[in-house]
C-alpha cells in the first residue's frame, strides 16, 4: 500500500471494522511470528516536571494528586528489573520525569543502566527526555539498547497538548538516537481530542521516522490535568480501527499496547487489538497509574495462540 495517499488512509476509517481487521491481520502474519514482546517500566523519578503536557500527572503545571519522589537508588531499580524478568518481561525501561536529567542524577542513571544491562535475559531501555547527543552516547555505552521518546500526537495538534517544547524537538531527539546506533521506541497517545486526520498524520510521521517499536497509548484522563474530562473522546471501535490503520501504515514496526489499554478496552477488544497487529505489550504498572496483571496477559496470549517473549 505504498501508493496510498493521506486521503486513501483516511478513507480506511469508513470501512467496517471486520474488513480492517482482516487487512491488518494479514499484514501482521506476513511480517511476524506469534511472539509478543513484553516490556516493563519503572518510574525512577516521579513528578515535578517542568514541561506542561496537558495529559500528564507529573507536570508541575497541572494539579494531579500523585506521589512524587526523587531519583530511586540503583539497587531498587535493579530489583525491579529482576522482578520484571520473573514476570515474563524481556525488556526493562528506566523512565524519569523532567525535561532532561543533569549532574549527579545523570551519573546515577548511568549506574542504573549498567546494573540493569548486566542482568541475563533483560534488554535495557530508557526514557529520559530530551537528551543531548553526548548524553545519548553515554547511555548507549552504559548499555541502553532501545530509547523511548514519543511524538505523542500530530505535528498539527502538538501545540494544543504542549507548549514548553515542540514537535520538532521530539523528532530531533529520536533521530539522534538512531544516528548513534540505538533502536528507537516512538509512539503516540490517542483520545486527546485529536481528529482522524491527526491520527493519520501521526502514523505517517512515524513511518518517516521508522522506529523499531511504536507504543500506542490510550488516554486515561487523570483528575487534576487539563484533559481530566476526556473519557468519551474516543470509543473502543475507533481505537481498534486506529490500531488496524497503524498496522497498515507501519507493516514492520512492533506495535505496543501501552498506557490505558486496560481502562479503555474490554478484554475481548484487547484480544481483537492483538489480532489486528499489536505484537508488543507493556506488562505491569505504568508511571502513575495501575497497569496489567502479567498472569492475565499470559492467559490472554495463550488463548490467542501467542507467546510472550
Amino acid at each position: 500500500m505504498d501508493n496510498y495517499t493521506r486521503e486513501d488512509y483516511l478513507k480506511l476509517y469508513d470501512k467496517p471494522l471486520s474488513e480492517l481487521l482482516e487487512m491488518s491481520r494479514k499484514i501482521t502474519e506476513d511480517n511476524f511470528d506469534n511472539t509478543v514482546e513484553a516490556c516493563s517500566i519503572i518510574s525512577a523519578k516521579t513528578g515535578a516536571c517542568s514541561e506542561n503536557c496537558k495529559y500528564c500527572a507529573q507536570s508541575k503545571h497541572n494539579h494531579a494528586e500523585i506521589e512524587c519522589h526523587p531519583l530511586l537508588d540503583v539497587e531498587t531499580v535493579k530489583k525491579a528489573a529482576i522482578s520484571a524478568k520473573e514476570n515474563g518481561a524481556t525488556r526493562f525501561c528506566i523512565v524519569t520525569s523532567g525535561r532532561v536529567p543533569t549532574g549527579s542524577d545523570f551519573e546515577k542513571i548511568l549506574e542504573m543502566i549498567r546494573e540493569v544491562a548486566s542482568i541475563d535475559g533483560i534488554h535495557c531501555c530508557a526514557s529520559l527526555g530530551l537528551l543531548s547527543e553526548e548524553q545519548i552516547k553515554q547511555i548507549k555505552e552504559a548499555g541502553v539498547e532501545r530509547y523511548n521518546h514519543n511524538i505523542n500526537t500530530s505535528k498539527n495538534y502538538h501545540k494544543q497538548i504542549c507548549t514548553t517544547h515542540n514537535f520538532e524537538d521530539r523528532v530531533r531527539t529520536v533521530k539522534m538516537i538512531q544516528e548513534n546506533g540505538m533502536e528507537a521506541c516512538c509512539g503516540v497517545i490517542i483520545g486527546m481530542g485529536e481528529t482522524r486526520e491527526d491520527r493519520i498524520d501521526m502514523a505517517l510521521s512515524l513511518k518517516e521516522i521508522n522506529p523499531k517499536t511504536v507504543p500506542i497509548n490510550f488516554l486515561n484522563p487523570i483528575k487534576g490535568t487539563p484533559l481530566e474530562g476526556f473519557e468519551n473522546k474516543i470509543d473502543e471501535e475507533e481505537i481498534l480501527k486506529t490500531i488496524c490503520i497503524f498496522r497498515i501504515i507501519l507493516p514492520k514496526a512492533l506495535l505496543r499496547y501501552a498506557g490505558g489499554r486496560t481502562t479503555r478496552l474490554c478484554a475481548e477488544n484487547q484480544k481483537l487489538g492483538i489480532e489486528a497487529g499489536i505484537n508488543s505489550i507493556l506488562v505491569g504498572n505504568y508511571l502513575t497509574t495501575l497497569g496489567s496483571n502479567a498472569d492475565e496477559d499470559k492467559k490472554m496470549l495463550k488463548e490467542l495462540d501467542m507467546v510472550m517473549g
Side-chain angles (χ1 to χ4, degrees):
M1 299 179 180
D2 288 339
N3 60 337
Y4 269 38
T5 65
R6 179 176 180 269
E7 288 68 31
D8 291 330
Y9 288 123
L10 187 60
K11 288 177 183 176
L12 291 175
Y13 271 111
D14 297 326
K15 291 184 178 292
L17 176 59
S18 58
E19 187 175 338
L20 278 179
L21 284 167
E22 186 58 36
M23 291 171 67
S24 61
R25 185 185 294 120
K26 177 66 166 60
I27 291 170
T28 306
E29 289 174 351
D30 287 346
N31 288 284
F32 298 96
D33 60 20
N34 69 333
T35 302
V36 175
E37 182 186 75
C39 178
S40 186
I41 64 175
I42 187 169
S43 183
K45 180 183 179 183
T46 302
C49 181
S50 63
E51 306 305 286
N52 67 354
C53 305
K54 289 183 178 180
Y55 56 84
C56 188
Q58 301 195 60
S59 171
K60 67 181 183 182
H61 299 269
N62 300 333
H63 307 287
E65 294 182 2
I66 62 168
E67 185 176 339
C68 300
H69 63 75
L71 198 63
L72 297 175
D73 63 85
V74 174
E75 189 60 26
T76 297
V77 172
K78 185 175 183 180
K79 286 180 180 178
I82 293 170
S83 177
K85 177 186 173 183
E86 292 170 349
N87 281 327
T90 56
R91 292 190 170 273
F92 185 79
C93 187
I94 300 167
V95 184
T96 57
S97 64
R99 185 180 179 91
V100 63
T102 57
S104 61
D105 270 6
F106 186 67
E107 293 303 316
K108 191 174 180 181
I109 289 168
L110 291 176
E111 189 178 349
M112 289 178 187
I113 291 167
R114 294 185 192 102
E115 289 297 319
V116 172
S118 72
I119 300 169
D120 186 45
I122 281 287
H123 300 276
C124 185
C125 306
S127 183
L128 311 170
L130 296 160
L131 298 184
S132 68
E133 186 160 20
E134 178 56 34
Q135 287 176 313
I136 288 169
K137 292 178 186 296
Q138 288 178 277
I139 65 167
K140 181 178 186 293
E141 183 178 357
V144 171
E145 298 179 23
R146 190 181 295 172
Y147 191 83
N148 167 256
H149 196 66
N150 296 331
I151 58 170
N152 287 332
T153 191
S154 71
K155 182 177 180 180
N156 179 64
Y157 197 61
H158 187 276
K159 60 184 175 293
Q160 303 299 322
I161 299 300
C162 179
T163 58
T164 48
H165 61 264
N166 58 40
F167 186 85
E168 288 76 13
D169 290 330
R170 289 186 168 271
V171 172
R172 189 181 307 113
T173 299
V174 176
K175 288 184 176 179
M176 278 199 296
I177 286 293
Q178 293 169 316
E179 289 165 0
N180 282 278
M182 276 183 287
E183 293 178 347
C185 174
C186 184
V188 298
I189 307 169
I190 62 173
M192 298 194 293
E194 76 285 345
T195 63
R196 286 177 167 179
E197 288 84 354
D198 286 316
R199 291 183 211 126
I200 297 299
D201 287 343
M202 293 179 213
L204 291 175
S205 291
L206 290 168
K207 184 177 182 180
E208 184 176 341
I209 294 168
N210 193 29
K212 178 72 174 180
T213 313
V214 175
I216 303 179
N217 298 273
F218 315 110
L219 180 70
N220 183 9
I222 298 172
K223 186 177 180 180
T225 68
L227 303 186
E228 66 174 283
F230 275 45
E231 287 88 351
N232 301 316
K233 289 295 182 180
I234 190 168
D235 62 25
E236 296 196 28
E237 180 170 314
E238 189 81 356
I239 285 173
L240 290 171
K241 284 188 172 185
T242 300
I243 292 171
C244 292
I245 293 169
F246 267 60
R247 171 52 73 213
I248 291 166
I249 296 176
L250 302 162
K252 297 183 183 298
L254 288 165
L255 298 185
R256 175 179 293 158
Y257 265 151
R261 60 128 165 155
T262 56
T263 56
R264 304 310 297 272
L265 287 173
C266 69
E268 287 306 309
N269 281 338
Q270 285 184 52
K271 291 180 183 179
L272 284 180
I274 291 173
E275 291 179 9
I278 294 292
N279 50 3
S280 178
I281 58 174
L282 202 57
V283 294
N285 293 333
Y286 308 132
L287 296 179
T288 60
T289 57
L290 297 177
S292 66
N293 178 285
D295 290 336
E296 290 177 1
D297 283 338
K298 290 174 184 176
K299 180 182 177 183
M300 175 177 68
L301 294 177
K302 185 177 181 179
E303 291 171 356
L304 295 168
D305 196 28
M306 308 288 281
V307 294
M308 189 182 290

